Amino acid sequence: MRDDAYLIGRQPILTALEEITAFELLFRSPESFSSAQFDSATQASTRVMFNTVSSVGVSKLLGNQQGFINVDTELLMSDIIELLPHQQVGLELLESIKITPEIVERCRTLKSLGYQLALDDHEYSLAYEPLYNGLVDIIKIDLFTTPLSSLRDVVEKFRAYPVKLLAEKVDSRDVFLRCRSMGIELFQGYFFARPALIKKQRLANTVTSFLKLMQQLVNDAEITDLETTFKESPVLVYKLLILVNSVSFGLQEKIRTIRHALSIIGRQQLSRWVQIALFAEDGREELTNPIMDMAVTRATFMEELARVSPRVGGCSTDEAFMAGTLSMLIDVYDIPLDEVATGLSLSDDIRQALDGSKGEIGDLLSLAKLIERNNLDEAIERFEELGISLSVAHECQQRAFNWHGGLKT
């Protein structure tokens, strides 16, 4: 295992409208498979900071979103923190930081440079009033230490200050709705990582993707280019599968990949479908937050893992991508598993992965979900079982995080 190998977790921060507005960047050290160990919080944060700007790249890791990195007193007071691009990376002050005149002045300096500041796991205290008044942008309230029964009083205390409140560790829809009704504006937690909030939303068309497909078909584009366009839109993949099963009566083959589905439908039928879709389009765009980011990131990550794992040889990279895409759509749109697995004539390997059965694709899907839920310690163990070094796993993460830059790096 390389000394500089690592994993970065991205936990989404969502608005009250259930749209991603930022990510918290989390770190796991390779020094131990059983736990994430590092000499200090400074070492962990410095390493994430360095890897963000020089190994992964801010644009690849965050796209157009904001990111937040944890900082302790030592890192906060260090000049090296100013290496971070203030336009896109904010600073999350750990609860271990003690408020002193020097800390307040340092926050004032960083604020003047353009950095957004957040207080992590925070409880109201008059000692922090200098930060509340215009220096801190976000205050994160840990719902494990601040029960809902006392949350309204906490919210009321902060109404006098120009800050946004963020509820951490939101683990159910009921908790989300109750926090939102109290005036909390931002949310973070495993509930969103699944992301259950957008269940039962309609499968909107995406005019941009259909126009791109139309142009490609007019220009007689290669099937590889058509396949890439579908990969950019998980909802488009699902609609393609419905189309194939609708027009291919008596279909005997099990669909294995996007390319396989395209070959079954043929260019003429595909062109007709795109024309109908454009006429039927009502102007509303496909929901892209957080569906697109999470779905394509998961699918691309699984595809890359299938490509590099020496112990996953029975499935193709395209099958892994297909399973990743459909698994997210099942979660997001509450589509019955039987409808997806059986109704769409999927291959047995993909179907078994979707219903939780064991199998190579299922193993990759399980690993991708561990990463999404930031169970990075367990993920490190699973990488070892699959014969994937942490450095190679990191490279797969890079490609997955960079899907918005063209899916491949």
Side-chain angles (χ1 to χ4, degrees):
M1 194 70 66
R2 256 176 30 190
D3 290 340
D4 62 345
Y6 59 92
L7 284 179
I8 290 180
R10 301 185 311 170
Q11 188 165 38
I13 296 171
L14 285 85
T15 67
L17 297 176
E18 305 170 18
E19 297 178 338
I20 293 178
T21 186
F23 291 97
E24 180 180 357
L25 304 180
L26 305 170
F27 172 81
R28 282 300 178 268
S29 165
E31 280 76 26
S32 171
F33 281 119
S34 60
S35 62
Q37 298 177 353
F38 19 76
D39 294 339
S40 66
T42 301
Q43 181 193 43
S45 295
T46 302
R47 197 151 175 198
V48 159
M49 184 180 73
F50 175 80
N51 290 329
T52 296
V53 299
S54 60
S55 294
V56 180
V58 173
S59 62
K60 290 183 179 180
L61 186 58
L62 297 172
N64 297 321
Q65 305 294 352
Q66 183 82 7
F68 283 90
I69 291 179
N70 294 332
V71 298
D72 64 358
T73 301
E74 184 178 350
L75 190 55
L76 179 69
M77 300 302 291
S78 171
D79 289 341
I80 66 173
I81 203 170
E82 296 173 29
L83 176 66
L84 295 168
H86 65 83
Q87 303 92 334
Q88 200 167 11
V89 180
L91 310 174
E92 192 167 310
L93 280 61
L94 295 173
E95 63 272 24
S96 60
I97 295 177
K98 304 300 181 184
I99 299 303
T100 65
E102 291 77 17
I103 291 292
V104 173
E105 185 58 33
R106 178 56 172 159
C107 289
R108 186 172 288 113
T109 298
L110 291 169
K111 188 70 176 176
S112 69
L113 293 174
Y115 287 99
Q116 285 197 40
L117 304 179
L119 295 178
D120 185 39
D121 294 344
H122 189 68
E123 296 182 6
Y124 177 84
S125 170
L126 286 176
Y128 285 83
E129 196 158 28
L131 299 187
Y132 298 158
N133 283 305
L135 294 184
V136 168
D137 301 279
I138 298 171
I139 293 176
K140 303 180 73 171
I141 301 171
D142 188 334
L143 297 185
F144 283 8
T145 57
T146 302
L148 286 175
S149 58
S150 59
L151 185 58
R152 190 175 298 277
D153 291 338
V154 173
V155 172
E156 287 300 320
K157 290 179 181 178
F158 285 116
R159 287 194 188 280
Y161 306 104
V163 298
K164 290 184 177 181
L165 299 183
L166 184 155
E168 286 189 284
K169 299 186 176 70
V170 178
D171 59 6
S172 72
R173 182 167 184 78
D174 177 63
V175 170
F176 162 70
L177 293 175
R178 290 174 67 182
C179 289
R180 189 173 68 175
S181 70
M182 296 179 198
I184 291 180
E185 300 176 71
L186 300 171
F187 308 86
Q188 186 176 353
Y190 292 154
F191 179 52
F192 300 100
R194 282 195 287 271
L197 285 187
I198 14 184
K199 280 186 177 180
K200 301 183 185 299
Q201 299 262 20
R202 70 183 182 86
L203 294 180
N205 287 335
T206 167
V207 66
T208 303
S209 295
F210 279 122
L211 285 172
K212 185 175 180 180
L213 278 173
M214 175 61 74
Q215 189 65 45
Q216 288 174 321
L217 289 165
V218 168
N219 294 334
D220 198 26
E222 297 291 334
I223 191 170
T224 300
D225 297 324
L226 298 175
E227 183 182 23
T228 298
T229 299
F230 276 93
K231 282 187 173 184
E232 291 170 350
S233 176
V235 172
L236 216 57
V237 173
Y238 181 68
K239 291 184 175 184
L240 172 66
L241 295 175
I242 294 177
L243 173 68
V244 171
N245 283 271
S246 297
V247 302
S248 301
F249 298 107
L251 180 65
Q252 299 297 316
E253 299 178 84
K254 298 294 185 180
I255 300 174
R256 302 184 303 275
T257 66
I258 295 172
R259 179 175 295 226
H260 185 205
L262 290 173
S263 68
I264 292 173
I265 194 66
R267 284 179 180 259
Q268 184 180 42
Q269 292 286 63
L270 182 63
S271 180
R272 291 170 178 167
W273 176 60
V274 171
Q275 293 176 56
I276 292 171
L278 286 172
F279 278 113
E281 176 58 49
D282 59 10
R284 289 177 290 183
E285 281 291 301
E286 174 182 321
L287 293 170
T288 58
N289 287 314
I291 300 173
M292 283 293 291
D293 182 86
M294 297 192 69
V296 186
T297 299
R298 175 189 288 184
T300 306
F301 186 53
M302 290 175 60
E303 178 183 40
E304 294 300 329
L305 291 178
R307 192 187 313 279
V308 302
S309 175
R311 299 177 190 170
V312 177
C315 70
S316 71
T317 57
D318 291 335
E319 285 181 297
F321 188 97
M322 176 83 81
T325 297
L326 294 178
S327 66
M328 183 62 74
L329 289 178
I330 289 172
D331 293 341
V332 169
Y333 292 115
D334 206 21
I335 303 169
L337 178 58
D338 287 345
E339 179 181 329
V340 173
T342 304
L344 299 184
S345 300
L346 299 175
S347 71
D348 291 341
D349 289 339
I350 296 176
R351 178 182 54 76
Q352 289 171 2
L354 294 178
D355 69 15
S357 301
K358 291 184 178 180
E360 293 180 342
I361 298 179
D363 289 341
L364 298 182
L365 178 57
S366 175
L367 183 50
K369 289 182 176 181
L370 287 175
I371 295 291
E372 290 168 12
R373 296 168 185 169
N374 293 306
N375 294 338
L376 301 182
D377 300 325
E378 186 175 348
I380 288 174
E381 296 180 359
R382 298 290 295 276
F383 281 128
E384 187 179 44
E385 293 172 2
L386 291 175
I388 301 175
S389 70
L390 207 53
S391 60
V392 171
H394 164 64
E395 292 170 0
C396 292
Q397 273 196 305
Q398 283 186 275
R399 296 188 186 97
F401 287 155
N402 194 39
W403 69 264
H404 46 74
L407 289 180
K408 303 293 182 185
T409 58

